[in-house]
Short mmCIF file of all heavy atoms in Angstrom, two decimals:
data_model
loop_
_atom_site.label_atom_id
_atom_site.label_comp_id
_atom_site.label_asym_id
_atom_site.label_seq_id
_atom_site.Cartn_x
_atom_site.Cartn_y
_atom_site.Cartn_z
N VAL A 62 -13.47 4.80 1.56
CA VAL A 62 -12.50 4.03 2.28
C VAL A 62 -13.21 2.67 2.58
O VAL A 62 -14.11 2.63 3.34
CB VAL A 62 -12.09 4.64 3.56
CG1 VAL A 62 -11.07 3.84 4.31
CG2 VAL A 62 -11.53 6.06 3.28
N HIS A 63 -12.66 1.63 1.99
CA HIS A 63 -13.08 0.31 2.33
C HIS A 63 -12.16 -0.23 3.42
O HIS A 63 -10.96 -0.17 3.38
CB HIS A 63 -12.98 -0.56 1.06
CG HIS A 63 -13.87 -1.76 1.07
ND1 HIS A 63 -15.13 -1.76 0.69
CD2 HIS A 63 -13.62 -2.96 1.61
CE1 HIS A 63 -15.70 -2.89 0.87
NE2 HIS A 63 -14.78 -3.71 1.45
N LEU A 64 -12.77 -0.83 4.49
CA LEU A 64 -12.02 -1.26 5.61
C LEU A 64 -11.58 -2.69 5.46
O LEU A 64 -12.46 -3.55 5.32
CB LEU A 64 -12.85 -1.06 6.89
CG LEU A 64 -12.22 -1.25 8.20
CD1 LEU A 64 -10.93 -0.47 8.30
CD2 LEU A 64 -13.18 -0.95 9.31
N GLY A 65 -10.32 -2.99 5.32
CA GLY A 65 -9.84 -4.32 5.22
C GLY A 65 -8.85 -4.68 6.35
O GLY A 65 -8.57 -3.82 7.21
N GLY A 66 -8.28 -5.82 6.29
CA GLY A 66 -7.29 -6.26 7.33
C GLY A 66 -7.31 -7.73 7.54
O GLY A 66 -7.99 -8.45 6.81
N ASP A 67 -6.54 -8.07 8.52
CA ASP A 67 -6.46 -9.54 8.86
C ASP A 67 -7.78 -10.09 9.17
O ASP A 67 -8.11 -11.19 8.82
CB ASP A 67 -5.48 -9.71 10.08
CG ASP A 67 -4.04 -9.47 9.70
OD1 ASP A 67 -3.71 -9.29 8.54
OD2 ASP A 67 -3.25 -9.36 10.62
N TYR A 68 -8.58 -9.31 9.96
CA TYR A 68 -9.94 -9.80 10.30
C TYR A 68 -10.91 -8.73 9.74
O TYR A 68 -10.72 -7.54 9.90
CB TYR A 68 -10.12 -9.86 11.81
CG TYR A 68 -9.29 -10.98 12.41
CD1 TYR A 68 -7.99 -10.70 12.85
CD2 TYR A 68 -9.65 -12.26 12.44
CE1 TYR A 68 -7.15 -11.69 13.32
CE2 TYR A 68 -8.87 -13.34 12.96
CZ TYR A 68 -7.59 -12.98 13.45
OH TYR A 68 -6.78 -14.01 13.84
N MET A 69 -11.93 -9.17 9.07
CA MET A 69 -12.88 -8.30 8.47
C MET A 69 -14.31 -8.74 8.71
O MET A 69 -14.61 -9.87 8.91
CB MET A 69 -12.61 -8.34 6.92
CG MET A 69 -11.32 -7.72 6.49
SD MET A 69 -11.19 -7.53 4.70
CE MET A 69 -10.44 -9.10 4.25
N LEU A 70 -15.19 -7.78 8.63
CA LEU A 70 -16.66 -8.11 8.60
C LEU A 70 -17.06 -8.19 7.15
O LEU A 70 -16.67 -7.36 6.34
CB LEU A 70 -17.43 -7.04 9.34
CG LEU A 70 -17.24 -6.99 10.90
CD1 LEU A 70 -18.07 -5.81 11.43
CD2 LEU A 70 -17.53 -8.27 11.53
N PRO A 71 -17.88 -9.19 6.83
CA PRO A 71 -18.19 -9.40 5.41
C PRO A 71 -18.98 -8.19 4.75
O PRO A 71 -18.65 -7.87 3.64
CB PRO A 71 -19.08 -10.61 5.36
CG PRO A 71 -19.42 -10.95 6.82
CD PRO A 71 -18.43 -10.23 7.69
N ASP A 72 -19.90 -7.58 5.49
CA ASP A 72 -20.69 -6.57 4.81
C ASP A 72 -20.48 -5.14 5.29
O ASP A 72 -21.35 -4.30 5.37
CB ASP A 72 -22.17 -6.97 5.00
CG ASP A 72 -22.50 -8.28 4.29
OD1 ASP A 72 -22.00 -8.46 3.16
OD2 ASP A 72 -23.15 -9.12 4.90
N ALA A 73 -19.24 -4.85 5.77
CA ALA A 73 -18.96 -3.50 6.27
C ALA A 73 -19.14 -2.51 5.20
O ALA A 73 -18.70 -2.67 4.06
CB ALA A 73 -17.56 -3.48 6.80
N LEU A 74 -19.88 -1.40 5.58
CA LEU A 74 -20.07 -0.31 4.59
C LEU A 74 -18.84 0.57 4.47
O LEU A 74 -18.15 0.77 5.45
CB LEU A 74 -21.23 0.53 4.99
CG LEU A 74 -22.60 -0.18 4.96
CD1 LEU A 74 -23.66 0.70 5.51
CD2 LEU A 74 -22.95 -0.53 3.45
N PRO A 75 -18.50 1.06 3.30
CA PRO A 75 -17.36 1.96 3.12
C PRO A 75 -17.69 3.29 3.85
O PRO A 75 -18.85 3.70 4.01
CB PRO A 75 -17.23 2.14 1.68
CG PRO A 75 -18.51 1.73 1.07
CD PRO A 75 -19.15 0.85 2.02
N LEU A 76 -16.57 4.06 4.20
CA LEU A 76 -16.70 5.34 4.79
C LEU A 76 -16.15 6.40 3.83
O LEU A 76 -15.31 6.08 2.96
CB LEU A 76 -15.90 5.45 6.09
CG LEU A 76 -16.50 4.59 7.27
CD1 LEU A 76 -15.43 4.41 8.32
CD2 LEU A 76 -17.73 5.32 7.83
N SER A 77 -16.56 7.65 3.95
CA SER A 77 -16.02 8.72 3.09
C SER A 77 -14.57 8.99 3.54
O SER A 77 -14.19 8.71 4.72
CB SER A 77 -16.85 9.97 3.25
OG SER A 77 -16.35 10.77 4.26
N LEU A 78 -13.73 9.45 2.65
CA LEU A 78 -12.36 9.70 2.93
C LEU A 78 -12.18 10.68 4.14
O LEU A 78 -11.32 10.55 4.91
CB LEU A 78 -11.63 10.24 1.66
CG LEU A 78 -10.13 10.47 1.85
CD1 LEU A 78 -9.42 9.28 2.35
CD2 LEU A 78 -9.53 10.87 0.51
N ALA A 79 -13.15 11.61 4.27
CA ALA A 79 -13.09 12.55 5.38
C ALA A 79 -13.17 11.80 6.71
O ALA A 79 -12.73 12.36 7.71
CB ALA A 79 -14.23 13.52 5.24
N HIS A 80 -13.63 10.59 6.70
CA HIS A 80 -13.76 9.84 7.97
C HIS A 80 -12.66 8.77 7.99
O HIS A 80 -12.81 7.74 8.72
CB HIS A 80 -15.16 9.17 8.12
CG HIS A 80 -16.20 10.20 8.18
ND1 HIS A 80 -17.56 9.94 7.74
CD2 HIS A 80 -16.25 11.52 8.55
CE1 HIS A 80 -18.23 11.03 7.94
NE2 HIS A 80 -17.55 12.01 8.38
N GLY A 81 -11.61 8.92 7.28
CA GLY A 81 -10.48 7.99 7.20
C GLY A 81 -9.88 7.61 8.57
O GLY A 81 -9.58 6.50 8.86
N LEU A 82 -9.79 8.62 9.43
CA LEU A 82 -9.24 8.39 10.72
C LEU A 82 -10.17 7.47 11.53
O LEU A 82 -9.69 6.52 12.24
CB LEU A 82 -9.08 9.72 11.49
CG LEU A 82 -8.63 9.65 12.95
CD1 LEU A 82 -7.28 9.03 13.15
CD2 LEU A 82 -8.64 11.09 13.56
N LEU A 83 -11.45 7.69 11.48
CA LEU A 83 -12.45 6.81 12.09
C LEU A 83 -12.33 5.43 11.59
O LEU A 83 -12.35 4.44 12.33
CB LEU A 83 -13.89 7.40 11.84
CG LEU A 83 -14.93 6.54 12.42
CD1 LEU A 83 -14.92 6.38 13.88
CD2 LEU A 83 -16.32 7.09 11.94
N ALA A 84 -12.13 5.30 10.27
CA ALA A 84 -11.95 3.94 9.62
C ALA A 84 -10.82 3.18 10.24
O ALA A 84 -10.87 1.99 10.56
CB ALA A 84 -11.85 4.07 8.14
N ALA A 85 -9.68 3.93 10.37
CA ALA A 85 -8.48 3.32 10.95
C ALA A 85 -8.69 2.82 12.39
O ALA A 85 -8.39 1.71 12.78
CB ALA A 85 -7.29 4.26 10.94
N GLU A 86 -9.38 3.70 13.16
CA GLU A 86 -9.73 3.29 14.58
C GLU A 86 -10.64 2.10 14.59
O GLU A 86 -10.48 1.20 15.37
CB GLU A 86 -10.35 4.50 15.29
CG GLU A 86 -9.37 5.66 15.53
CD GLU A 86 -8.42 5.33 16.62
OE1 GLU A 86 -8.80 4.97 17.74
OE2 GLU A 86 -7.18 5.47 16.36
N MET A 87 -11.69 2.11 13.71
CA MET A 87 -12.61 1.03 13.68
C MET A 87 -11.88 -0.23 13.29
O MET A 87 -12.13 -1.33 13.78
CB MET A 87 -13.77 1.31 12.65
CG MET A 87 -14.75 2.37 13.15
SD MET A 87 -15.85 2.87 11.83
CE MET A 87 -16.68 1.34 11.40
N GLY A 88 -10.93 -0.10 12.34
CA GLY A 88 -10.14 -1.29 11.86
C GLY A 88 -9.34 -1.92 13.01
O GLY A 88 -9.32 -3.09 13.15
N MET A 89 -8.71 -1.02 13.81
CA MET A 89 -7.94 -1.56 14.92
C MET A 89 -8.89 -2.23 15.98
O MET A 89 -8.57 -3.32 16.50
CB MET A 89 -7.11 -0.43 15.60
CG MET A 89 -5.89 -0.05 14.66
SD MET A 89 -4.73 1.04 15.53
CE MET A 89 -5.39 2.66 15.18
N ASN A 90 -10.00 -1.61 16.20
CA ASN A 90 -11.05 -2.22 17.12
C ASN A 90 -11.38 -3.59 16.67
O ASN A 90 -11.52 -4.55 17.45
CB ASN A 90 -12.27 -1.38 17.30
CG ASN A 90 -12.04 -0.16 18.10
OD1 ASN A 90 -11.15 -0.14 18.90
ND2 ASN A 90 -12.92 0.79 17.91
N LEU A 91 -11.65 -3.68 15.33
CA LEU A 91 -12.11 -4.96 14.78
C LEU A 91 -11.08 -6.08 14.95
O LEU A 91 -11.42 -7.22 15.27
CB LEU A 91 -12.47 -4.68 13.27
CG LEU A 91 -13.29 -5.73 12.63
CD1 LEU A 91 -14.67 -5.83 13.30
CD2 LEU A 91 -13.49 -5.34 11.15
N GLN A 92 -9.81 -5.73 14.70
CA GLN A 92 -8.76 -6.75 14.88
C GLN A 92 -8.75 -7.24 16.27
O GLN A 92 -8.68 -8.45 16.54
CB GLN A 92 -7.35 -6.17 14.52
CG GLN A 92 -7.19 -5.49 13.17
CD GLN A 92 -7.76 -6.33 12.05
OE1 GLN A 92 -7.46 -7.51 11.90
NE2 GLN A 92 -8.70 -5.79 11.31
N MET A 93 -8.89 -6.31 17.27
CA MET A 93 -8.88 -6.73 18.64
C MET A 93 -10.07 -7.63 18.95
O MET A 93 -9.97 -8.68 19.51
CB MET A 93 -8.89 -5.51 19.59
CG MET A 93 -7.58 -4.75 19.61
SD MET A 93 -6.11 -5.75 20.15
CE MET A 93 -6.38 -5.75 21.90
N ALA A 94 -11.28 -7.12 18.52
CA ALA A 94 -12.46 -7.78 18.86
C ALA A 94 -12.47 -9.20 18.29
O ALA A 94 -12.96 -10.19 18.95
CB ALA A 94 -13.68 -7.02 18.33
N LEU A 95 -11.97 -9.38 17.07
CA LEU A 95 -12.08 -10.71 16.47
C LEU A 95 -10.84 -11.58 16.61
O LEU A 95 -10.90 -12.77 16.45
CB LEU A 95 -12.43 -10.55 14.93
CG LEU A 95 -13.73 -9.77 14.60
CD1 LEU A 95 -13.91 -9.68 13.12
CD2 LEU A 95 -14.90 -10.54 15.26
N GLY A 96 -9.67 -10.89 16.90
CA GLY A 96 -8.46 -11.67 16.82
C GLY A 96 -7.66 -11.78 18.08
O GLY A 96 -6.81 -12.63 18.22
N TRP A 97 -7.95 -10.98 19.07
CA TRP A 97 -7.13 -10.97 20.31
C TRP A 97 -7.59 -12.09 21.26
O TRP A 97 -8.77 -12.14 21.53
CB TRP A 97 -7.20 -9.60 21.01
CG TRP A 97 -6.17 -9.44 22.04
CD1 TRP A 97 -6.42 -9.41 23.44
CD2 TRP A 97 -4.78 -9.22 21.82
NE1 TRP A 97 -5.19 -9.24 24.11
CE2 TRP A 97 -4.16 -9.13 23.14
CE3 TRP A 97 -3.96 -9.08 20.72
CZ2 TRP A 97 -2.81 -8.90 23.38
CZ3 TRP A 97 -2.53 -8.89 20.91
CH2 TRP A 97 -2.02 -8.80 22.25
N ARG A 98 -6.65 -12.86 21.75
CA ARG A 98 -7.02 -14.01 22.58
C ARG A 98 -6.21 -13.98 23.91
O ARG A 98 -6.36 -14.87 24.78
CB ARG A 98 -6.70 -15.33 21.90
CG ARG A 98 -7.54 -15.61 20.64
CD ARG A 98 -8.95 -15.99 21.06
NE ARG A 98 -9.69 -16.36 19.89
CZ ARG A 98 -10.25 -15.56 19.06
NH1 ARG A 98 -10.23 -14.28 19.29
NH2 ARG A 98 -10.94 -15.98 18.01
N ARG A 99 -5.30 -13.00 24.09
CA ARG A 99 -4.47 -13.05 25.24
C ARG A 99 -5.15 -12.59 26.53
O ARG A 99 -4.73 -12.83 27.66
CB ARG A 99 -3.18 -12.27 25.06
CG ARG A 99 -1.89 -12.95 25.59
CD ARG A 99 -0.71 -12.30 25.00
NE ARG A 99 -0.64 -12.37 23.52
CZ ARG A 99 0.06 -11.65 22.75
NH1 ARG A 99 0.90 -10.78 23.20
NH2 ARG A 99 0.03 -11.83 21.40
N HIS A 100 -6.22 -11.79 26.34
CA HIS A 100 -6.97 -11.31 27.44
C HIS A 100 -8.47 -11.47 27.17
O HIS A 100 -8.86 -11.55 26.00
CB HIS A 100 -6.73 -9.77 27.63
CG HIS A 100 -5.27 -9.44 27.91
ND1 HIS A 100 -4.40 -9.18 26.90
CD2 HIS A 100 -4.65 -9.25 29.06
CE1 HIS A 100 -3.23 -8.97 27.43
NE2 HIS A 100 -3.31 -8.99 28.75
N LEU A 101 -9.25 -11.41 28.25
CA LEU A 101 -10.70 -11.37 28.02
C LEU A 101 -11.02 -9.87 27.71
O LEU A 101 -10.66 -9.02 28.48
CB LEU A 101 -11.43 -11.81 29.30
CG LEU A 101 -12.96 -11.76 29.21
CD1 LEU A 101 -13.51 -12.85 28.25
CD2 LEU A 101 -13.53 -12.05 30.58
N LEU A 102 -11.68 -9.62 26.57
CA LEU A 102 -11.96 -8.29 26.19
C LEU A 102 -13.37 -7.90 26.59
O LEU A 102 -14.37 -8.56 26.24
CB LEU A 102 -11.89 -8.17 24.63
CG LEU A 102 -10.70 -7.51 24.05
CD1 LEU A 102 -9.43 -8.27 24.38
CD2 LEU A 102 -10.82 -7.39 22.59
N ILE A 103 -13.50 -6.77 27.34
CA ILE A 103 -14.81 -6.29 27.66
C ILE A 103 -14.96 -4.91 26.95
O ILE A 103 -14.02 -4.12 27.01
CB ILE A 103 -14.92 -6.05 29.23
CG1 ILE A 103 -14.52 -7.26 29.95
CG2 ILE A 103 -16.36 -5.62 29.62
CD1 ILE A 103 -15.49 -8.38 30.07
N HIS A 104 -16.14 -4.70 26.39
CA HIS A 104 -16.42 -3.43 25.81
C HIS A 104 -16.65 -2.44 26.92
O HIS A 104 -17.75 -2.37 27.45
CB HIS A 104 -17.63 -3.60 24.86
CG HIS A 104 -17.98 -2.30 24.13
ND1 HIS A 104 -17.06 -1.68 23.30
CD2 HIS A 104 -19.08 -1.59 24.13
CE1 HIS A 104 -17.68 -0.63 22.79
NE2 HIS A 104 -18.97 -0.56 23.23
N ALA A 105 -15.54 -1.69 27.28
CA ALA A 105 -15.70 -0.83 28.48
C ALA A 105 -14.48 0.14 28.45
O ALA A 105 -13.43 -0.10 27.87
CB ALA A 105 -15.59 -1.72 29.77
N SER A 106 -14.68 1.23 29.19
CA SER A 106 -13.58 2.21 29.43
C SER A 106 -13.03 1.87 30.85
O SER A 106 -13.76 1.29 31.65
CB SER A 106 -14.10 3.65 29.44
OG SER A 106 -14.79 3.88 28.21
N ALA A 107 -11.78 2.27 31.10
CA ALA A 107 -11.20 2.05 32.43
C ALA A 107 -10.22 3.08 32.79
O ALA A 107 -9.53 3.64 31.95
CB ALA A 107 -10.57 0.61 32.46
N VAL A 108 -10.17 3.42 34.07
CA VAL A 108 -9.21 4.35 34.63
C VAL A 108 -8.64 3.78 35.89
O VAL A 108 -9.25 2.89 36.49
CB VAL A 108 -9.86 5.76 34.91
CG1 VAL A 108 -10.31 6.45 33.65
CG2 VAL A 108 -11.10 5.60 35.86
N GLU A 109 -7.43 4.31 36.26
CA GLU A 109 -6.69 3.78 37.40
C GLU A 109 -6.34 4.83 38.39
O GLU A 109 -6.03 5.92 38.06
CB GLU A 109 -5.46 3.04 36.86
CG GLU A 109 -4.56 2.46 37.91
CD GLU A 109 -3.35 3.41 38.26
OE1 GLU A 109 -3.25 4.52 37.69
OE2 GLU A 109 -2.47 2.97 39.09
N LYS A 110 -6.38 4.37 39.69
CA LYS A 110 -5.83 5.28 40.73
C LYS A 110 -5.23 4.33 41.80
O LYS A 110 -5.86 3.34 42.18
CB LYS A 110 -7.04 6.10 41.28
CG LYS A 110 -6.62 7.20 42.24
CD LYS A 110 -7.80 7.78 42.95
CE LYS A 110 -8.21 9.15 42.42
NZ LYS A 110 -9.32 9.76 43.15
N ASP A 111 -4.06 4.63 42.26
CA ASP A 111 -3.38 3.85 43.33
C ASP A 111 -3.28 2.36 42.96
O ASP A 111 -3.43 1.50 43.79
CB ASP A 111 -4.06 3.99 44.66
CG ASP A 111 -4.22 5.43 45.06
OD1 ASP A 111 -3.30 6.25 44.77
OD2 ASP A 111 -5.20 5.75 45.68
N GLY A 112 -3.08 2.12 41.66
CA GLY A 112 -2.90 0.73 41.25
C GLY A 112 -4.24 -0.09 41.13
O GLY A 112 -4.16 -1.28 40.84
N ARG A 113 -5.32 0.60 41.37
CA ARG A 113 -6.62 -0.10 41.25
C ARG A 113 -7.49 0.47 40.12
O ARG A 113 -7.45 1.68 39.89
CB ARG A 113 -7.33 -0.05 42.58
CG ARG A 113 -6.61 -0.99 43.56
CD ARG A 113 -7.28 -1.08 44.87
NE ARG A 113 -7.16 0.21 45.65
CZ ARG A 113 -7.54 0.33 46.85
NH1 ARG A 113 -8.14 -0.68 47.55
NH2 ARG A 113 -7.40 1.48 47.49
N ALA A 114 -8.27 -0.35 39.52
CA ALA A 114 -8.95 0.07 38.28
C ALA A 114 -10.46 0.18 38.47
O ALA A 114 -11.14 -0.62 39.15
CB ALA A 114 -8.69 -0.92 37.15
N LEU A 115 -10.99 1.30 37.92
CA LEU A 115 -12.37 1.49 37.84
C LEU A 115 -12.81 1.21 36.38
O LEU A 115 -12.28 1.79 35.49
CB LEU A 115 -12.75 2.97 38.24
CG LEU A 115 -14.11 3.47 37.72
CD1 LEU A 115 -15.27 2.76 38.54
CD2 LEU A 115 -14.23 5.02 38.01
N ILE A 116 -13.81 0.33 36.26
CA ILE A 116 -14.23 -0.02 34.82
C ILE A 116 -15.61 0.44 34.62
O ILE A 116 -16.54 0.29 35.46
CB ILE A 116 -14.13 -1.57 34.73
CG1 ILE A 116 -12.69 -1.99 34.98
CG2 ILE A 116 -14.60 -2.05 33.35
CD1 ILE A 116 -12.53 -3.46 35.35
N LEU A 117 -15.79 1.05 33.45
CA LEU A 117 -17.11 1.63 33.10
C LEU A 117 -17.62 0.94 31.76
O LEU A 117 -16.96 0.97 30.78
CB LEU A 117 -17.00 3.10 32.78
CG LEU A 117 -16.43 3.97 33.90
CD1 LEU A 117 -15.80 5.29 33.36
CD2 LEU A 117 -17.46 4.25 34.95
N THR A 118 -18.73 0.19 31.96
CA THR A 118 -19.23 -0.50 30.76
C THR A 118 -20.62 -0.09 30.48
O THR A 118 -21.34 0.54 31.31
CB THR A 118 -19.10 -2.05 30.95
OG1 THR A 118 -19.45 -2.67 29.63
CG2 THR A 118 -20.01 -2.58 31.96
N GLY A 119 -21.18 -0.43 29.37
CA GLY A 119 -22.59 -0.09 29.01
C GLY A 119 -22.72 0.05 27.51
O GLY A 119 -21.78 0.03 26.78
N GLU A 120 -23.92 0.32 27.07
CA GLU A 120 -24.26 0.45 25.70
C GLU A 120 -23.53 1.70 25.11
O GLU A 120 -23.14 2.58 25.85
CB GLU A 120 -25.77 0.69 25.49
CG GLU A 120 -26.61 -0.33 26.22
CD GLU A 120 -26.83 -1.60 25.37
OE1 GLU A 120 -27.15 -1.42 24.18
OE2 GLU A 120 -26.63 -2.68 25.88
N SER A 121 -23.51 1.77 23.79
CA SER A 121 -22.99 3.01 23.19
C SER A 121 -23.99 4.14 23.54
O SER A 121 -25.14 3.99 23.52
CB SER A 121 -23.03 2.72 21.63
OG SER A 121 -22.27 3.75 21.06
N GLY A 122 -23.38 5.29 23.90
CA GLY A 122 -24.20 6.41 24.33
C GLY A 122 -24.49 6.46 25.81
O GLY A 122 -25.15 7.38 26.29
N SER A 123 -23.95 5.54 26.56
CA SER A 123 -24.14 5.47 27.99
C SER A 123 -23.29 6.55 28.68
O SER A 123 -23.50 6.85 29.85
CB SER A 123 -23.82 4.16 28.59
OG SER A 123 -22.43 3.84 28.37
N GLY A 124 -22.27 7.05 27.94
CA GLY A 124 -21.50 8.09 28.56
C GLY A 124 -20.15 7.58 29.14
O GLY A 124 -19.39 8.30 29.73
N LYS A 125 -19.84 6.29 28.90
CA LYS A 125 -18.63 5.75 29.56
C LYS A 125 -17.37 6.38 28.98
O LYS A 125 -16.46 6.66 29.78
CB LYS A 125 -18.67 4.21 29.39
CG LYS A 125 -18.65 3.69 27.94
CD LYS A 125 -18.78 2.15 27.97
CE LYS A 125 -18.56 1.60 26.53
NZ LYS A 125 -19.56 2.15 25.55
N SER A 126 -17.30 6.64 27.69
CA SER A 126 -16.12 7.31 27.11
C SER A 126 -15.91 8.71 27.67
O SER A 126 -14.82 9.07 28.18
CB SER A 126 -16.24 7.42 25.63
OG SER A 126 -16.13 6.12 25.05
N THR A 127 -17.02 9.44 27.80
CA THR A 127 -16.93 10.82 28.33
C THR A 127 -16.51 10.82 29.82
O THR A 127 -15.59 11.58 30.18
CB THR A 127 -18.36 11.53 28.15
OG1 THR A 127 -18.84 11.25 26.89
CG2 THR A 127 -18.26 12.99 28.44
N LEU A 128 -17.13 9.96 30.53
CA LEU A 128 -16.77 9.87 32.02
C LEU A 128 -15.30 9.49 32.14
O LEU A 128 -14.57 10.14 32.94
CB LEU A 128 -17.64 8.86 32.71
CG LEU A 128 -19.10 9.22 32.99
CD1 LEU A 128 -19.85 8.08 33.63
CD2 LEU A 128 -19.14 10.48 33.93
#
Side-chain angles (χ1 to χ4, degrees):
Chain A
V62 181
H63 201 92
L64 191 52
D67 289 348
Y68 296 90
M69 292 188 268
L70 291 179
D72 298 316
L74 290 175
L76 289 162
S77 89
L78 181 53
H80 299 154
L82 174 61
L83 175 63
E86 291 287 306
M87 286 169 63
M89 287 191 271
N90 284 340
L91 197 60
Q92 305 313 306
M93 290 300 282
L95 301 180
W97 192 253
R98 296 285 186 276
R99 219 165 302 164
H100 300 88
L101 180 69
L102 255 64
I103 310 281
H104 183 58
S106 306
V108 291
E109 176 261 3
K110 192 190 252 183
D111 304 327
R113 287 182 291 186
L115 162 67
I116 299 159
L117 303 158
T118 187
E120 310 275 312
S121 194
S123 63
K125 58 187 188 303
S126 291
T127 313
L128 285 175

